[in-house]
Amino acid sequence: MKIIAKLTMTVIFSLLVGVKVVQADYHITNYQQQVQIGQDGTAQIDKTVTYHFDDDMNGVYLKEKLMRSSSGGQPYQWGGMQSVAISKNGNQFQSIPVRKSGSDIGYVESKTAARVQEKVYYPIKANDKIIVKYNYQLKNTVINWDDVAEMNWLIIDDWDRPLKHVKIRVALPQKPATTFKGWVHSDTKGQIAVDKKNARLVITAPEVKTHQKLELRTYFDKAQTPENTNTQPGQRAKVISQTEAQKTIKHNQKLHFMAIFGFLIIPIIVLVMIVLTLWYVFYMKTKLRRAKRRSGVDRAAVHIYDLPNDLGPAVINDRIQQQAEVPQIIVATLMDLIARRKITITYQDVRDVSQALYQVNNEDDLADFEISFMTMIFGKKREPVQQDDFQKPESRVSRRIRQKLGQFQHDVAVQSAKKAIIDAQITRKMTHDKIAILSVLSFISISAIVALIVMANYSDIWQLWLVAGAVLVLSGASLVMLSIQATTFFTEPDGFVEKWQWDGFASMLHDIAKLDDKTVLDVQLWDKLLAYAVIFGEAKTVAKTLNVWANDMNISPSYLPVYMMYSSFGMNWSSNLTHHIQTDVGFDSNVSGSGGSFSGGYSGGGGGGGGGAF
């Protein structure tokens, strides 16, 4: 599965009551809240929050919004903070007093008509575990109607860190409860259990994410709160039940839609695209196979011991789309020109390859791209170049390579196009179609996987993860099959024949160490073999084998300058030179619980609890 990347964000907020919250590394690993409803509708709240800190901090804070719920009634009223206690690193709880001026420990209350905040000063060091217990009251959380009492409360609203292991207990004044129903609205996953016998409900959630909401809506027999002065006329139970039923229906409709979309529509779309992709792969394979059959080369390549033609390694690389790297092209061309005596190499000490000196010998009968190469390496004045100049980024030859490589590429492409063996029209069409299908399949697959993951997270339908995994595997396999499928078509029959011959030549270079008959390769061709071996990635293998043959046949081909470089400087000579050539330019080719529910959506609950650290 495509791995989904994890992002870390640093956020700085200025809160309305003037507390500057510094986003540091800390975690809230446990959140417990006990709510006892009084007969007057006041909520007695015992909240326990466990923090783990990675940085030094000054303390923690608690927020409660006092806005009334959309159900009506009076705004929430702050009943006062009754106590704050802190346990540090497993020690006994310490009661926190109201802060005095200049004290490091104490809490400060900031209150407006809309909200209240308790800022608790307590020195915290990195790696401290802090458990904070708040005990306070909220008034007017319950509305008494003519038939039932209602609580519509946004319990969790604005915490600046995710809350782990959330558990909220709400208890009524009297047991048992004659009527008791509850619903939770949140984007998080969780459960609500309503216990009429013990007149309590319990909400649990593994995590409530940063700034995520959790809202409780419940109603119960109004005899539980006979002293409540927050009253409203009307019959409420039926309205609430109908509203929540509609929310549940909408939620279930969303789940039903997700199930249809996730198990039927998305798989069908992806499968249709995968089938189209596989059909196109089969179509291309068939078209290539028929073209090879018409050209008489619909068989495995056999060893070819002579160069199919000698247009130069750079041109052949472009001609058959070998796609060698830039340094390989440069080294292969350099070796080819040395083999043809156009460039000479001299050295004083075979143990010091860095001082080997390259010089232009003559430029008779050179093609335009070879003239460009000479200018790129030796400059207009054809100045000698030492071996170690290639590995110096700011040497003259390195700067010329970066500056003039484009002209060399162009001239190679022009030379290759003079007698092109690639059918440009068919190749262009097949490549265009391949890219289009790759793009569409990639877009559909990624979109499908993202959609399935989102739906799986939202709906908690774990089978959607299996569908997402199946989409990933099948579409990934199809993309790989299409990506590796060749789209280069050569002319018939000459192009396919020459490509087949070059494949056979490359196969021979790869298997050269296994050849029993050493005489199949003319010694006069050894330098050419070594030059062309570079673009096929077989230079080291060929050099080692030729060196063994020379010893076995007791010959010393001193008239072969390229072979002698390997013999003098070692079998890694060309690979080292390739590695050290300084260029960063690409070489381009031309071609829920009983009695309640837990769901998303909100019903305008009053209040809103938040918090964090500073």
Side-chain angles (χ1 to χ4, degrees):
M1 181 178 297
K2 282 191 175 187
I3 305 184
I4 301 174
K6 293 183 179 180
L7 302 176
T8 303
M9 297 187 302
T10 303
V11 182
I12 299 178
F13 288 99
S14 289
L15 301 180
L16 291 176
V17 288
V19 176
K20 185 176 181 180
V21 179
V22 180
Q23 290 285 61
D25 287 333
Y26 74 93
H27 313 278
I28 299 175
T29 57
N30 195 277
Y31 179 95
Q32 303 280 319
Q33 184 165 324
Q34 307 243 7
V35 182
Q36 179 63 54
I37 303 299
Q39 292 190 357
D40 62 351
T42 296
Q44 182 68 44
I45 301 168
D46 290 303
K47 183 177 295 185
T48 303
V49 185
T50 302
Y51 298 83
H52 284 259
F53 291 89
D54 297 324
D55 287 336
D56 295 353
M57 301 194 76
N58 299 316
V60 297
Y61 66 92
L62 174 74
K63 296 185 300 181
E64 284 289 353
K65 294 178 181 177
L66 303 177
M67 61 185 184
R68 68 180 181 180
S69 74
S70 61
S71 301
Q74 301 174 21
Y76 287 11
Q77 289 185 8
W78 180 244
M81 179 65 70
Q82 296 172 336
S83 67
V84 179
I86 293 180
S87 170
K88 181 177 180 180
N89 299 326
N91 294 320
Q92 291 185 347
F93 278 90
Q94 173 187 359
S95 179
I96 306 298
V98 176
R99 186 180 185 230
K100 296 180 180 180
S101 178
S103 176
D104 291 338
I105 297 177
Y107 69 89
V108 178
E109 183 174 291
S110 301
K111 184 173 177 290
T112 68
R115 69 188 67 227
V116 65
Q117 178 168 275
E118 302 290 346
K119 185 177 181 183
V120 183
Y121 287 86
Y122 191 88
I124 299 168
K125 299 296 183 182
N127 300 318
D128 277 350
K129 175 185 176 182
I130 301 295
I131 301 176
V132 184
K133 287 186 176 181
Y134 304 95
N135 182 266
Y136 59 97
Q137 289 185 345
L138 273 181
K139 298 180 179 181
N140 296 333
T141 58
V142 176
I143 302 174
N144 276 26
W145 297 84
D146 291 342
D147 54 347
V148 295
E150 177 191 3
M151 174 184 279
N152 192 7
W153 183 17
L154 191 59
I155 299 176
I156 296 174
D157 176 39
D158 191 23
W159 286 82
D160 66 357
R161 282 292 185 273
L163 307 178
K164 302 283 189 180
H165 304 295
V166 174
K167 190 171 186 178
I168 301 168
R169 299 179 182 88
V170 179
L172 303 180
Q174 304 174 39
K175 303 176 186 178
T178 305
T179 302
F180 198 9
K181 291 188 178 181
W183 298 265
V184 172
H185 306 137
S186 180
D187 292 330
T188 192
K189 301 173 186 176
Q191 291 183 328
I192 177 173
V194 178
D195 183 355
K196 292 172 62 177
K197 181 179 179 181
N198 292 301
R200 69 185 180 192
L201 63 79
V202 179
I203 301 168
T204 56
E207 180 183 32
V208 178
K209 296 179 180 179
T210 304
H211 304 304
Q212 201 170 54
K213 294 176 172 52
L214 188 147
E215 179 187 76
L216 169 65
R217 193 176 198 186
T218 179
Y219 70 80
F220 43 86
D221 46 295
K222 70 174 185 177
Q224 295 279 351
T225 53
E227 301 174 11
N228 188 14
T229 59
N230 186 17
T231 62
Q232 289 282 295
Q235 302 292 316
R236 192 62 173 171
K238 185 177 181 180
V239 174
I240 296 173
S241 295
Q242 289 177 343
T243 301
E244 294 302 327
Q246 291 173 355
K247 289 180 181 293
T248 301
I249 290 172
K250 288 181 179 179
H251 180 68
N252 290 335
Q253 286 175 340
K254 286 183 180 180
L255 295 181
H256 183 66
F257 169 79
M258 289 180 182
I260 293 176
F261 210 74
F263 292 119
L264 188 64
I265 296 177
I266 288 179
I268 287 177
I269 293 173
V270 174
L271 284 174
V272 168
M273 197 62 213
I274 288 174
V275 170
L276 174 62
T277 301
L278 296 179
W279 172 83
Y280 196 73
V281 170
F282 174 78
Y283 169 74
M284 284 195 291
K285 287 182 179 294
T286 303
K287 191 174 182 68
L288 274 171
R289 186 169 56 250
R290 290 175 177 172
K292 290 178 180 179
R293 184 183 301 122
R294 290 192 296 268
S295 300
V297 291
D298 56 331
R299 61 189 186 278
V302 298
H303 288 167
I304 302 294
Y305 300 98
D306 293 321
L307 293 173
N309 59 54
D310 189 14
L311 299 177
V315 172
I316 295 303
N317 175 76
D318 186 87
R319 186 176 174 83
I320 64 173
Q321 293 200 342
Q322 181 61 26
Q323 297 181 340
E325 299 293 333
V326 173
Q328 289 177 301
I329 300 296
I330 294 174
V331 171
T333 304
L334 180 67
M335 292 169 62
D336 182 60
L337 292 173
I338 292 173
R340 291 160 54 192
R341 309 301 196 276
K342 304 299 180 182
I343 297 174
T344 61
I345 179 171
T346 56
Y347 45 89
Q348 298 296 325
D349 187 350
V350 296
R351 294 170 298 180
D352 188 6
V353 65
S354 65
Q355 299 304 311
L357 191 67
Y358 299 90
Q359 294 177 287
V360 176
N361 185 33
N362 74 75
E363 300 181 46
D364 297 340
D365 303 322
L366 290 183
D368 289 343
F369 79 93
E370 292 170 327
I371 297 294
S372 295
F373 180 84
M374 290 290 199
T375 302
M376 181 175 68
I377 301 299
F378 300 101
K380 293 181 179 180
K381 296 182 179 181
R382 302 302 193 250
E383 59 189 39
V385 175
Q386 283 189 337
Q387 174 93 3
D388 63 350
D389 289 336
F390 286 105
Q391 59 186 323
K392 297 176 181 177
E394 296 307 318
S395 68
R396 291 182 179 180
V397 65
S398 294
R399 289 200 301 268
R400 284 195 297 266
I401 288 174
R402 290 193 293 269
Q403 294 169 359
K404 299 184 180 298
L405 183 59
Q407 183 62 47
F408 175 57
Q409 290 176 289
H410 174 267
D411 291 343
V412 168
V414 170
Q415 185 70 21
S416 176
K418 290 180 179 178
K419 295 182 179 180
I421 60 172
I422 293 176
D423 190 321
Q425 184 176 356
I426 296 178
T427 298
R428 190 180 301 111
K429 180 182 183 305
M430 301 300 280
T431 302
H432 176 271
D433 292 346
K434 173 181 174 178
I435 293 173
I437 294 175
L438 281 172
S439 301
V440 173
L441 179 57
S442 298
F443 174 78
I444 289 177
S445 301
I446 293 173
S447 300
I449 291 170
V450 171
L452 289 166
I453 290 174
V454 171
M455 290 190 295
N457 276 320
Y458 176 84
S459 66
D460 207 19
I461 302 175
W462 64 267
Q463 292 90 344
L464 290 175
W465 285 99
L466 298 180
V467 179
V471 170
L472 175 67
V473 172
L474 294 176
S475 60
S478 301
L479 286 169
V480 170
M481 291 178 64
L482 181 58
S483 297
I484 63 177
Q485 175 59 46
T487 57
T488 302
F489 279 73
F490 295 89
T491 56
E492 298 180 33
D494 295 344
F496 277 104
V497 170
E498 183 176 330
K499 179 61 168 65
W500 181 83
Q501 291 173 337
W502 279 112
D503 289 342
F505 181 76
S507 176
M508 181 274 296
L509 294 178
H510 182 74
D511 298 333
I512 191 170
K514 302 175 184 178
L515 299 181
D516 295 327
D517 186 2
K518 303 178 179 59
T519 62
V520 295
L521 291 174
D522 189 344
V523 175
Q524 301 293 332
L525 293 177
W526 284 14
D527 271 7
K528 283 291 186 180
L529 292 180
L530 289 166
Y532 281 89
V534 173
I535 64 170
F536 291 105
E538 303 290 348
K540 188 174 180 179
T541 299
V542 173
K544 284 184 176 180
T545 302
L546 295 183
N547 188 56
V548 172
W549 288 5
N551 292 330
D552 290 346
M553 292 186 292
N554 196 26
I555 60 175
S556 179
S558 56
Y559 52 89
L560 299 176
V562 177
Y563 170 79
M564 289 305 298
M565 285 189 294
Y566 278 100
S567 178
S568 300
F569 299 141
M571 299 302 108
N572 293 321
W573 169 79
S574 66
S575 59
N576 288 339
L577 180 58
T578 299
H579 175 73
H580 287 132
I581 286 181
Q582 300 293 319
T583 175
D584 54 2
V585 183
F587 192 89
D588 299 327
S589 176
N590 60 326
V591 190
S592 127
S594 175
S597 69
F598 207 108
S599 65
Y602 299 92
S603 57
F614 63 94

